[in-house]
Amino acid sequence: MKLIHSNKELNQAITQARSQGKRIGFVPTMGALHKGHLSLVSIAKAHADFVVVSVFVNPLQFNEGEDFDKYPRSIGQDARLLTDNQVDVLYAPSAQEIYPKDFEIPRLLAGALGEKYEGAARPGHFDGMLTVVSRLFDLVKPDIAVFGEKDAQQVALVTQLLNSQIRSGRRSPMALKIGPTVREESGLALSSRNVRLSDSEKQVAQSLSRALFAGAKAGSNGETIKSTALGLLDPEAKLEYLELVDALSFEPISSIGPNPARLIIAAQVGKVRLIDNVLIDGKK
Ligand code: AMP
């Protein structure tokens, strides 16, 4: 595996792979890699011949007072994991490579879908996320990119952006693949932020997925689904939102209809903000 820090070297590696007729797969991450990230790598490997993983903690998607400085960083360990998983390139750029001083990278706006739930809790977060994802797509020029269902609102926004960029001719066609959420045996969704939970906080954190799973089994009435979930949430978890939404639009819904829905949750446990969600099939 090649560890690359500059856009120039990245471009050389991509050009060479393309000249050999290889399909490029891409997994963007913020590092502190765990099995959830690695599951996306194996999806990329199944659909591409040359896999690039980026590690970049994007300052644009953190607000003031958020955990940008405290976000876990472990590039040495990340490089070892990716080598073991036969990744071709680990691209770990500096902020200067992503946001050069000598030319302006257009800042993207996430719009209405970007202002709800995660966007409401973290103003500007999704604008920053879309800006960096689009920039990374421009640099890597992948045939396929892989994202995790764990960040379902992010997936909805990236899908929207990509469709509109491809439709307008701004970007060559490329595919998105979505990987299912990888969980601990307890149900807790793996997250880089989990390393900052104490043992007792971890117990509290486990109640998020327990709540979601119970809610998802509680029939089709929205209020019943939410109150069942709420009943299983540890009172030590500071709930930010728990909502039943349409899986595509993220509009709140009052019952499960013909279309897929998502039960989404965000809660603060200790100093760590956690999110999770489950898909609930539509009732045909
Ligand atoms: P992050 O490093 O948190 O920005 O995540 C990078 C990618 O990994 C995103 O597409 C996430 O949705 C995905 N991801 C994070 N946690 C998990 C998980 N537990 N299972 C599957 N994918 C995940």
Side-chain angles (χ1 to χ4, degrees), residues 93-214:
S94 63
Q96 167 63 20
E97 293 288 313
I98 299 296
Y99 305 117
K101 294 214 167 62
D102 45 354
F103 69 94
E104 188 73 20
I105 301 302
R107 301 292 199 255
L108 301 187
L109 296 175
L113 176 53
E115 280 160 20
K116 308 175 206 189
Y117 305 112
E118 283 309 281
R122 309 178 63 189
H125 165 70
F126 283 130
D127 299 344
M129 180 281 291
L130 287 181
T131 300
V132 80
V133 165
S134 185
R135 172 78 172 135
L136 289 167
F137 284 175
D138 288 348
L139 293 166
V140 178
K141 301 178 201 72
D143 297 286
I144 80 143
V146 192
F147 287 80
E149 193 182 352
K150 157 94 175 10
D151 298 282
Q153 202 178 350
Q154 166 169 288
V155 166
L157 281 159
V158 171
T159 306
Q160 213 176 57
L161 174 77
L162 201 53
N163 287 342
S164 98
Q165 288 185 333
I166 293 172
R167 217 179 306 119
S168 71
R170 155 78 175 77
R171 182 175 305 290
S172 307
M174 55 172 277
L176 271 190
K177 300 277 171 209
I178 311 306
T181 303
V182 176
R183 300 176 181 280
E184 287 186 355
E185 229 167 276
S186 68
L188 176 65
L190 298 191
S191 162
S192 307
R193 291 185 166 96
N194 291 355
V195 297
R196 293 171 49 210
L197 295 168
S198 68
D199 286 349
S200 60
E201 286 167 348
K202 215 162 179 196
Q203 304 273 328
V204 177
Q206 289 165 0
S207 72
L208 269 71
S209 55
R210 233 179 289 130
L212 292 180
F213 295 146

Side-chain angles (χ1 to χ4, degrees), residues 35-281:
K35 287 185 181 140
H37 297 113
L38 297 177
S39 73
L40 306 187
V41 168
S42 56
I43 294 173
K45 286 182 70 73
H47 291 90
D49 318 293
F50 189 86
V51 172
V52 178
V53 174
S54 64
V55 168
F56 180 63
V57 185
N58 176 30
L60 267 198
Q61 68 191 67
F62 290 79
N63 290 305
E64 230 162 274
E66 277 191 332
D67 57 355
F68 175 74
D69 292 331
K70 290 199 208 81
Y71 198 85
R73 289 162 172 86
S74 53
I75 193 75
Q77 157 94 347
D78 291 349
R80 276 190 294 278
L81 281 172
L82 295 176
T83 304
D84 292 347
N85 283 268
Q86 285 92 41
V87 162
D88 297 282
V89 166
L90 163 53
Y91 170 53
S94 63
Q96 167 63 20
E97 293 288 313
I98 299 296
Y99 305 117
K101 294 214 167 62
D102 45 354
F103 69 94
E104 188 73 20
I105 301 302
R107 301 292 199 255
L108 301 187
L109 296 175
L113 176 53
E115 280 160 20
K116 308 175 206 189
Y117 305 112
E118 283 309 281
R122 309 178 63 189
H125 165 70
F126 283 130
D127 299 344
M129 180 281 291
L130 287 181
T131 300
V132 80
V133 165
S134 185
R135 172 78 172 135
L136 289 167
F137 284 175
D138 288 348
L139 293 166
V140 178
K141 301 178 201 72
D143 297 286
I144 80 143
V146 192
F147 287 80
E149 193 182 352
K150 157 94 175 10
D151 298 282
Q153 202 178 350
Q154 166 169 288
V155 166
L157 281 159
V158 171
T159 306
Q160 213 176 57
L161 174 77
L162 201 53
N163 287 342
S164 98
Q165 288 185 333
I166 293 172
R167 217 179 306 119
S168 71
R170 155 78 175 77
R171 182 175 305 290
S172 307
M174 55 172 277
L176 271 190
K177 300 277 171 209
I178 311 306
T181 303
V182 176
R183 300 176 181 280
E184 287 186 355
E185 229 167 276
S186 68
L188 176 65
L190 298 191
S191 162
S192 307
R193 291 185 166 96
N194 291 355
V195 297
R196 293 171 49 210
L197 295 168
S198 68
D199 286 349
S200 60
E201 286 167 348
K202 215 162 179 196
Q203 304 273 328
V204 177
Q206 289 165 0
S207 72
L208 269 71
S209 55
R210 233 179 289 130
L212 292 180
F213 295 146
K217 280 201 238 137
S220 55
N221 179 280
E223 285 314 314
T224 312
I225 290 172
K226 285 192 280 182
S227 64
T228 305
L230 210 51
L232 280 161
L233 189 66
D234 190 301
E236 291 290 311
K238 287 198 201 81
L239 184 65
E240 275 186 27
Y241 60 75
L242 169 70
E243 196 52 86
L244 183 70
V245 298
D246 177 89
L248 283 182
S249 67
F250 275 74
E251 286 298 327
I253 53 176
S254 57
S255 63
I256 308 289
N259 300 323
R262 246 177 228 291
L263 187 57
I264 58 175
I265 192 168
Q268 187 91 21
V269 177
K271 290 199 163 59
V272 186
R273 188 170 180 281
L274 296 170
I275 61 170
D276 198 354
N277 71 87
V278 288
L279 188 71
I280 306 178
D281 285 337

